[in-house]
């Protein structure tokens, strides 16, 4: 006979109502500390320009996200291996009529190398970050960070610069030698926070029916685990228990988001591992993430918002076919690419999907996008470029 | 030359075992870890609750434990820290899932510091871990971007499927088939202007990063110094 044990005793039901964090658990406000240091003349603070939107954060605060006039701190991984990622971000700005700057005076944040090899140090990393911030400030545009690792690492740098005067003094001296001021942005903003902020504008411009699409979301570790207080958390998304980035965008577009048990897990990128110990990255990505998504949700696509995650989850699936005997093909896109496709962007001229390894074509078919015709158009572009050395595809060509 | 560096360059002792390192030298290295500005922000004490291990990707695939890292440094276990600096720290994925720690420890951050100390002191473990990585270090330090399109070669990434081959075959024209003007490059992720690159070299030069490279790979150090010194001199930056 089954034993009937009550799980909840009368009078001890869980408290109902919206989730709210305890004020005493709020993390230190690095934004406030940044502004205080500006008042003391330690550095210049670059203020978020108007117009901006305020979005909710983990610490029950708000974050100011600039809409336009943004300086695009590009990502070495995105621009190198998944170029449709950055191209889609730029295309979205253009379609929303928002001005941006695509600079040549920006270096990599160098954090990939730093985490992978430890052949840099705190002062070098901070000086690279602050040199890039100074370049943005000198241009008059506000930095929007494409890569989640750059974003997370820059927030580490901000915390270190706020806490350690010796480091501030050292970096100020280095920048002085190159004629640059010490500038800290008021907010450090990731591109996915910008997409989250403008998600309803994107949804208004949607030209594709996405009601039949199911997605899983992989949030990037360095977005919400590193210096986490100002990552975006929305009470309407998972009750505020998980970051709302990407999920909130997919929901705004009318996509069904499927939950799965390894949501919190890293993709397995590992920095050094993805290049010189790929067995680890490949095994982790497939066994912990892709197979869990497939078995528990069977999504049409998995969406993420970082270079390393797209690379690891996308490229690792080819070898898994030999391992399992089953084609574990879940297309992997950034939400920027997905939003662009939803707004009618060309899958090759804009979203550059031919650089991806996992088969994305069934997803396009389900979205009603004629990938054969689009590929034929792209092949015509390529033939034209081949016949005319020194020519390039332009934004006018991309539509 | 620090003792650990000179030992790292010695041949292994009898039976192929590494030469014995005096306790005082291990203490010196641990003191260097503790002296890092960030150390006090990264370690507060450990409940041994194991949350960090439960969420750690490397703990599932390697003999690696963020809890053991936090415990070793909290207990000031010089021998165990030395052992970790010679092995398991290189398995950390640097994902920082371990920041879920209820005591607000940062085991991934402690690993970062331990790795830096291992590199600065030329430990053999650092040289071994980074043996296949020097090509990447050269790329980032000499170009200002790190993951270039021309790194995608089928022989380098056979497990990435046919895309690696197609990308390599069409690299130049596919890069031209992108609307952003900064992304028509193949040897860098985007176009970085010369002045910016020189400023990056100045940062490496002034912060001692080149000295760190020398402890790992003298040939790579010489190549980088040649490239950078010329650029810095041309730009009028004093090298002394």
């Amino acid at each position: 006979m089954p034993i009937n044990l009550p799980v909840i005793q009368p009078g001890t039901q869980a408290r109902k109502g919206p989730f709210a964090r305890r004020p005493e658990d709020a993390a230190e406000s690095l934004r406030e500390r940044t502004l205080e240091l500006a008042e003391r003349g330690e550095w210049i603070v670059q203020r978020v320009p108007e117009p901006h939107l305020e979005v909710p954060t983990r610490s029950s605060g708000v974050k100011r996200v600039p809409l336009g006039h943004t300086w695009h701190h590009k990502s070495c991984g995105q621009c190198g291996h998944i170029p449709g990622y950055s191209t889609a971000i730029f295309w979205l700005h253009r379609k929303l009529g928002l001005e941006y700057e695509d600079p040549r005076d920006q270096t990599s944040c160098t954090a990939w190398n730093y985490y992978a090899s430890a052949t840099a140090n705190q002062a070098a990393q901070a000086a690279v970050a602050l040199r890039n911030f100074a370049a943005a400030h000198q241009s008059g545009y506000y930095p929007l960070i494409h890569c989640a690792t750059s974003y997370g690492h820059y927030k580490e740098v901000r915390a270190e610069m706020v806490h350690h005067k010796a480091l501030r003094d050292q970096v100020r001296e280095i920048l002085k030698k190159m004629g640059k001021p010490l500038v800290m942005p008021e907010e450090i903003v990731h591109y996915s926070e910008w997409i989250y902020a403008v998600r309803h504008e994107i949804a208004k411009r949607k030209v594709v029916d996405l009601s039949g699409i199911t997605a899983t979301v992989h949030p990037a570790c360095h977005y919400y685990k590193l210096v986490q207080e100002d990552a975006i958390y929305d009470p309407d998304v998972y009750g505020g228990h998980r970051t709302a980035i990407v999920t909130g965008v997919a929901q705004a577009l009318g996509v069904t988001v499927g939950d799965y048990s390894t949501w919190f897990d890293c993709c397995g990128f590992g920095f050094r591992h993805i290049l010189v110990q790929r067995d680890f990255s490949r095994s982790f990505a497939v066994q912990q993430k892709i197979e869990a998504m497939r078995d528990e949700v069977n999504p049409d696509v998995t969406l993420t918002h970082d270079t390393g995650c797209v690379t690891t989850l996308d490229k690792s699936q080819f070898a898994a076919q030999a391992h399992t005997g089953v084609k574990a093909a879940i297309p992997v896109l950034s939400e920027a690419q997905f939003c662009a496709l939803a707004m009618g962007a060309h899958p090759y001229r804009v979203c550059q999907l031919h650089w991806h390894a996992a088969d994305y074509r069934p997803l396009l078919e389900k979205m009603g996008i004629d990938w054969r015709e689009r590929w034929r158009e792209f092949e015509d572009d390529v033939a034209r470029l081949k016949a005319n050395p020194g020519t390039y595809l332009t934004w006018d060509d991309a539509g | 030359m620090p003792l650990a560096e000179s030992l790292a360059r010695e041949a292994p002792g009898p039976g192929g075992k590494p030469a014995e390192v005096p306790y005082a030298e291990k203490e010196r290295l641990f003191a260097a870890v503790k002296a890092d500005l960030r150390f006090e922000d990264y370690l507060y004490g450990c409940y041994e609750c194991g949350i960090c291990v439960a969420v750690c990707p490397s703990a599932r695939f390697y003999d690696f434990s963020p809890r053991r890292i936090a415990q070793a440094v909290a207990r000031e276990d010089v021998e165990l820290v030395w052992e970790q600096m010679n092995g398991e720290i290189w398995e950390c994925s640097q994902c920082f899932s371990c920041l879920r720690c209820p005591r607000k420890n940062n085991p991934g951050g402690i690993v970062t510091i331990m790795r830096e100390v291992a590199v600065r002191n030329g430990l053999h473990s650092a040289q071994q871990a980074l043996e296949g990585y020097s090509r990447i270090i050269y790329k980032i330090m000499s170009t200002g971007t790190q993951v270039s399109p021309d790194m995608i070669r089928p022989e380098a990434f056979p497990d990435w499927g046919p895309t690696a081959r197609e990308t390599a075959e069409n690299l130049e024209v596919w890069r031209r088939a992108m609307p952003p003007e900064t992304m028509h490059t193949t040897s860098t992720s985007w176009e970085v202007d010369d002045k910016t690159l020189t400023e990056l070299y100045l940062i490496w030069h002034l912060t001692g990063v080149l000295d760190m490279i020398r402890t790992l790979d003298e040939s790579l150090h010489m190549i980088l110094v040649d490239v950078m010194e010329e650029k810095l001199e041309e730009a009028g930056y004093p090298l002394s």
Side-chain angles (χ1 to χ4, degrees):
Chain A
M1 180 183 289
I3 300 170
N4 185 20
L5 288 174
V7 176
I8 300 175
Q9 296 290 343
T12 59
Q13 283 90 345
R15 187 162 53 88
K16 297 282 193 294
F19 170 80
R21 292 186 194 284
R22 300 185 306 171
E24 60 269 35
D25 289 341
E28 173 191 27
S29 172
L30 289 165
R31 178 179 171 277
E32 295 307 318
R33 297 286 306 275
T34 299
L35 293 169
E36 285 166 19
L37 284 167
E39 281 177 18
R40 284 165 32 198
E42 288 270 352
W43 54 25
I44 297 166
V45 169
Q46 184 174 7
R47 302 302 292 249
V48 175
E50 295 284 355
H52 62 251
L53 289 176
E54 292 188 342
V55 294
T57 66
R58 185 174 190 273
S59 59
S60 302
V62 293
K63 186 164 187 174
R64 291 149 192 81
V65 175
L67 291 181
H69 218 67
T70 42
W71 187 87
H72 284 252
H73 183 291
K74 297 178 289 292
S75 147
C76 45
Q78 284 171 26
C79 296
H81 287 185
I82 322 157
Y85 207 131
S86 290
T87 303
I89 295 171
F90 292 139
W91 187 88
L92 289 171
H93 278 77
R94 301 175 81 87
K95 286 294 164 187
L96 295 176
L98 299 169
E99 191 192 1
Y100 66 88
E101 170 73 4
D102 175 11
R104 288 175 169 81
D105 58 352
Q106 178 224 325
T107 67
S108 159
C109 68
T110 71
W112 183 336
N113 178 61
Y114 176 62
Y115 292 129
S117 71
T119 55
N121 56 46
Q122 187 186 27
Q125 293 301 113
V128 168
L130 273 292
R131 199 215 65 81
N132 279 329
F133 291 155
H137 180 253
Q138 286 177 325
S139 77
Y141 287 78
Y142 194 87
L144 189 68
I145 316 289
H146 284 201
C147 171
T149 287
S150 303
Y151 167 85
H153 182 57
Y154 283 172
K155 293 209 298 187
E156 281 188 321
V157 167
R158 177 180 57 172
E160 292 162 14
M161 291 284 285
V162 161
H163 292 149
H164 302 291
K165 182 174 187 317
L167 183 64
R168 286 198 300 277
D169 291 345
Q170 186 180 0
V171 173
R172 191 185 298 108
E173 278 306 304
I174 292 170
L175 293 181
K176 198 173 161 187
K177 287 184 195 304
M178 50 183 93
K180 286 186 159 52
L182 193 66
V183 181
M184 184 61 77
E186 176 186 358
E187 305 268 17
I188 296 183
V189 185
H190 188 241
Y191 89 83
S192 66
E193 296 176 327
W194 175 83
I195 291 190
Y196 176 82
V198 298
R199 66 194 185 285
H200 298 303
E201 290 302 313
I202 292 172
K204 276 186 212 163
R205 290 163 174 79
K206 184 176 66 167
V207 296
V208 173
D209 177 14
L210 299 173
S211 57
I213 302 295
T214 300
T216 45
V217 169
H218 167 74
C221 294
H222 285 190
Y223 172 74
Y224 76 112
K225 293 173 184 171
L226 272 171
V227 196
Q228 49 197 257
E229 73 275 2
D230 66 352
I232 306 305
Y233 282 72
D234 184 334
D236 292 335
V237 180
Y238 295 117
H241 287 272
R242 298 179 185 174
T243 179
I245 295 303
V246 187
T247 301
V249 174
Q251 289 175 339
L253 289 172
V255 170
T256 302
V257 180
D259 200 1
Y260 62 104
S261 55
T262 58
W263 194 91
F264 185 83
D265 277 351
C266 158
C267 66
F269 180 70
F271 296 90
R272 189 174 60 91
H273 300 72
I274 187 74
L275 289 166
V276 294
Q277 284 192 346
R278 285 210 306 285
D279 49 345
F280 165 76
S281 293
R282 202 167 53 225
S283 302
F284 199 88
V286 172
Q287 292 173 17
Q288 292 297 124
K289 300 294 295 195
I290 295 294
E291 288 184 359
M293 293 176 194
R294 183 195 63 194
D295 295 346
E296 298 172 29
V297 179
N298 195 25
D300 299 302
V301 62
T302 190
L303 300 174
T304 183
H305 60 146
D306 179 50
T307 315
C309 311
V310 173
T311 302
T312 314
L313 296 173
D314 178 48
K315 312 289 187 192
S316 298
Q317 295 186 53
F318 175 77
Q321 293 176 43
H323 171 64
T324 63
V326 176
K327 194 175 182 186
I330 300 179
V332 185
L333 303 184
S334 72
E335 95 283 42
Q337 289 168 300
F338 189 74
C339 286
L341 286 172
M343 281 173 57
H346 198 287
Y348 302 108
R349 289 169 176 163
V350 174
C351 296
Q352 300 281 323
L353 293 182
H354 44 293
W355 296 75
H356 290 237
D359 190 2
Y360 53 83
R361 288 168 295 197
L363 169 69
L364 296 189
E365 285 172 11
K366 203 163 177 180
M367 291 171 76
I369 297 169
D370 184 350
W371 62 265
R372 289 180 183 83
E373 178 58 17
R374 302 287 89 79
W375 180 248
R376 192 195 59 70
E377 290 168 354
F378 182 73
E379 285 196 310
D380 288 349
D381 295 337
V382 168
R384 177 170 57 82
L385 296 174
K386 277 182 177 169
N388 296 283
T391 57
Y392 306 94
L393 198 74
T394 66
W395 284 115
D396 287 339
D397 299 324
Chain B
M1 180 183 288
L3 181 59
E5 186 180 340
S6 62
L7 287 170
R9 289 167 198 282
E10 283 177 7
K17 289 183 182 170
E20 186 53 44
V21 174
Y23 188 79
E25 177 61 3
K26 296 172 188 173
E27 266 187 323
R28 187 187 70 78
L29 293 170
F30 183 50
V33 171
K34 286 205 299 181
D36 190 286
L37 278 182
R38 296 161 291 184
F39 186 81
E40 286 193 2
D41 294 332
Y42 287 176
L43 182 71
Y44 298 95
C46 174
Y47 294 137
E48 295 229 51
C49 67
I51 283 177
C52 58
V53 184
V55 295
C56 171
S58 294
R60 293 181 208 170
F61 279 78
Y62 300 109
D63 184 16
F64 175 78
S65 163
R67 181 190 63 80
R68 209 160 50 215
I69 297 282
Q71 278 285 312
V73 289
R75 288 201 312 262
E76 308 217 334
D77 187 335
V78 170
E79 290 288 356
L80 183 53
V81 168
W82 163 256
E83 197 181 301
Q84 289 169 338
M85 283 174 67
N86 277 282
E88 64 188 88
I89 57 166
W90 296 101
E91 313 302 1
C92 171
S93 302
Q94 299 275 286
C95 64
F96 296 94
S97 298
C98 52
L99 281 170
R100 216 172 192 185
C101 172
R103 286 295 299 272
K104 301 188 187 301
N105 291 321
N106 182 348
I110 297 167
V111 166
T112 308
I113 298 172
M114 289 163 81
R115 284 180 174 183
E116 278 181 44
V117 172
V119 166
R120 274 208 314 272
N121 288 277
L123 295 197
H124 189 53
S125 69
Q127 290 167 338
Q128 270 187 321
L130 300 176
E131 217 164 36
Y133 200 77
S134 53
R135 174 172 80 96
I136 315 294
I137 296 172
Y138 175 73
K139 174 67 82 174
I140 181 62
M141 293 193 65
S142 64
T143 71
T145 68
Q146 177 154 335
V147 183
S148 59
D150 61 6
M151 287 162 66
I152 310 175
R153 310 293 310 172
E155 62 275 15
F157 297 100
D159 56 343
W160 281 9
T163 315
R165 191 189 65 246
E166 289 160 14
T167 304
E169 285 171 359
N170 294 288
L171 191 65
E172 191 267 338
V173 71
W174 278 9
R175 293 298 293 190
R176 284 162 55 205
M178 287 179 201
E181 289 177 7
T182 55
M183 289 169 64
H184 296 146
T185 52
T186 56
S187 61
T188 54
S189 306
W190 64 88
E191 195 183 316
V192 180
D193 67 33
D194 239 29
K195 180 172 175 290
T196 299
L197 194 52
T198 309
E199 290 173 350
L200 185 69
Y201 292 165
L202 187 67
I203 291 171
W204 299 137
H205 178 74
L206 293 172
T207 53
V209 172
L210 287 174
D211 295 336
M212 296 176 78
I213 300 291
R214 192 177 50 190
T215 65
L216 278 182
D217 187 332
E218 286 193 17
S219 310
L220 178 62
H221 176 256
M222 282 171 65
I223 295 168
L224 285 168
V225 166
D226 278 353
V227 171
M228 292 180 191
E229 281 187 352
E230 194 181 330
K231 284 272 186 195
L232 290 172
E233 277 170 5
E234 274 174 22
Y237 287 117
L239 288 171
S240 57

